[in-house]
Amino acid sequence: MSASTNQVNHHKVIILGSGPAGLTAAIYTARASLSPLIIHGPLAGGQLTTTTDVENFPGFPEGIMGPDLMQLMEQQATRFGTTVAVDTIVKANLSQRPFTLTGQSGTYTCDSLIISTGAAPKYIGAKNERELLGYGVSTCATCDGAFFRNKVIAVVGGGDSACEEASFLTRFASKLYLIHRRDSLRASKIMQQRVFNNPKIEVLWNKGVLSVEGSKKDGVTGLTLQDTITKEESLLPADALFVAIGHTPNSSLFQGQLDMDENGYLLHKPDSAETTIPGVFVSGDVQDHVFRQAITAAGSGCMAAIGAERWLEAQHG
Ligand code: NAP
């Protein structure tokens, strides 16, 4: 959508991002008659669109495909009057009211802004890693671990995420390999100890993943590893690879305008979705490096929407 004047592009509420956080914020603000505008980039639906079966979202006892869940949420949001614009926002000005968002196709202004831009998992860059995403390669143990009961699982990474995912995945795995590129873990001592004390986990030190073996039909069958010191290559038979080398919050638009932690996650006031700028709220993975679940993102989207609704009411009566 693009329009020629600020008048047309002005909305009481703009929601940036169309994952579960943004869409839940849209459902709530739309039902509050605020006619929100959701702006998302070329790919709607956020990280869930790269997930296959979602088995842990309440209300779907048989599970639901990630993209289907997002489509249903969007239908629910538009039913109550949400408008959707596909645009890539390249600049945000939160220093003046109304807030201004400059996109590649248009300029948008709003009284209240809900930022639900999500986070992107980092990838290692191994051959076939992206092709087999959802077919044995995953970036989310909580989402996909249960598909690999009694299977050999590999986790790559050496931080808290990798150790946490590795420990969690031993509930399912017959054997778990933690693959790390150095000879010591970056994770906190307690997480490291959990890994070292777990008889199912074997740490493969000084190893990088060159290539994921397998196909969409057969899933992952193994990994080609390379020793980071000797450069020797080896084949590790495995049924799944979980990439856990961290996430990057999509917050760079707000650098210097909103408070962030040292990793770029947006900060909000305790027990609320409010930022230090009145009228600007945050929800979903862009402000959460701890839980990162569709349901927690949706919950925080609801908090941001109710926050925005109350804030607007206090402004305009
Ligand atoms: P992280 O601490 O940045 O660790 C990333 C790990 O991945 C590092 O071990 C790094 O190796 C490795 N890595 C990075 N790029 C790689 C590549 N291209 N190929 C192979 N390995 C690569 O990220 P994180 O574990 O996601 O943690 C992020 C933050 O969230 C941290 O502050 C962490 O404490 C926090 N967190 C906390 C919890 C918890 O407390 N329950 C759980 C998860 C995360 P090097 O070590 O060689 O750099």
Side-chain angles (χ1 to χ4, degrees):
M1 184 186 100
S2 71
S4 50
T5 65
N6 277 353
Q7 181 102 32
V8 176
N9 276 320
H10 184 79
H11 291 261
K12 282 185 195 149
V13 180
I14 288 183
I15 299 159
L16 265 190
S18 62
L23 287 169
T24 303
I27 293 166
Y28 272 77
T29 49
R31 289 193 76 247
S33 303
L34 292 170
S35 311
L37 172 72
I38 276 205
I39 305 177
H40 64 73
L43 273 181
Q47 290 181 66
L48 272 193
T49 53
T50 59
T51 308
T52 47
D53 277 326
V54 178
E55 289 184 331
N56 53 10
F57 200 90
F60 299 94
E62 305 302 324
I64 181 166
M65 297 299 273
D68 295 346
L69 177 61
M70 299 324 296
Q71 217 167 34
L72 288 172
M73 280 194 199
E74 185 174 324
Q75 272 172 28
Q76 195 173 352
T78 49
R79 175 182 159 209
F80 296 111
T82 300
T83 319
V84 180
V86 180
D87 200 352
T88 301
I89 301 302
V90 290
K91 197 170 150 214
N93 184 353
L94 308 183
S95 66
Q96 282 181 344
R97 295 176 185 284
F99 305 126
T100 306
L101 302 171
T102 310
Q104 286 175 348
S105 324
T107 300
Y108 311 83
T109 61
C110 58
D111 300 323
S112 181
L113 177 66
I114 297 177
I115 302 168
S116 317
T117 44
K122 294 183 190 164
Y123 290 91
I124 45 179
K127 191 173 161 220
N128 285 334
E129 180 186 24
R130 298 294 192 113
E131 288 77 359
L132 294 180
L133 197 62
Y135 297 88
V137 176
S138 170
T139 55
C140 177
T142 327
C143 317
D144 297 328
F147 298 119
F148 301 100
R149 279 179 207 281
N150 301 316
K151 302 279 186 190
V152 177
I153 299 179
V155 174
V156 64
D160 279 331
S161 292
C163 289
E164 192 170 77
E165 306 249 295
S167 300
F168 172 78
L169 286 166
T170 56
R171 294 177 192 196
F172 312 108
S174 54
K175 167 86 187 170
L176 194 136
Y177 294 102
L178 179 61
I179 302 167
H180 185 40
R181 62 183 178 184
R182 291 186 299 119
D183 64 357
S184 64
L185 297 172
R186 176 183 295 277
S188 54
K189 288 283 172 270
I190 186 164
M191 303 288 264
Q192 295 194 25
Q193 220 46 58
R194 230 168 261 169
V195 162
F196 298 145
N197 290 344
N198 191 321
K200 277 191 184 173
I201 302 180
E202 182 179 341
V203 185
L204 302 179
W205 301 105
N206 300 316
K207 297 280 186 290
V209 180
L210 282 185
S211 161
V212 184
E213 309 304 332
S215 63
K216 283 190 177 169
K217 185 171 156 281
D218 299 328
V220 169
T221 54
L223 305 171
T224 300
L225 306 182
Q226 184 175 47
D227 193 291
T228 52
I229 298 167
T230 64
K231 305 296 175 204
E232 198 178 312
E233 291 183 20
S234 56
L235 181 70
L236 178 75
D239 303 298
L241 172 66
F242 285 79
V243 180
I245 63 168
H247 284 73
T248 310
N250 300 319
S251 62
S252 55
L253 264 183
F254 307 103
Q255 195 91 45
Q257 301 192 70
L258 290 174
D259 290 344
M260 311 179 174
D261 72 9
E262 67 278 11
N263 295 313
Y265 287 91
L266 294 177
L267 299 177
H268 57 81
K269 296 181 183 167
D271 301 323
S272 103
E274 267 176 74
T275 65
T276 47
I277 300 182
V280 178
F281 300 83
V282 290
S283 62
D285 286 13
V286 73
Q287 51 87 55
D288 170 23
H289 64 83
V290 180
F291 299 107
R292 292 198 295 246
Q293 300 299 299
I295 189 69
T296 49
S300 69
C302 163
M303 288 169 68
I306 292 175
E309 186 187 339
R310 289 182 183 163
W311 183 82
L312 285 166
E313 210 169 79
Q315 301 305 298
H316 303 295

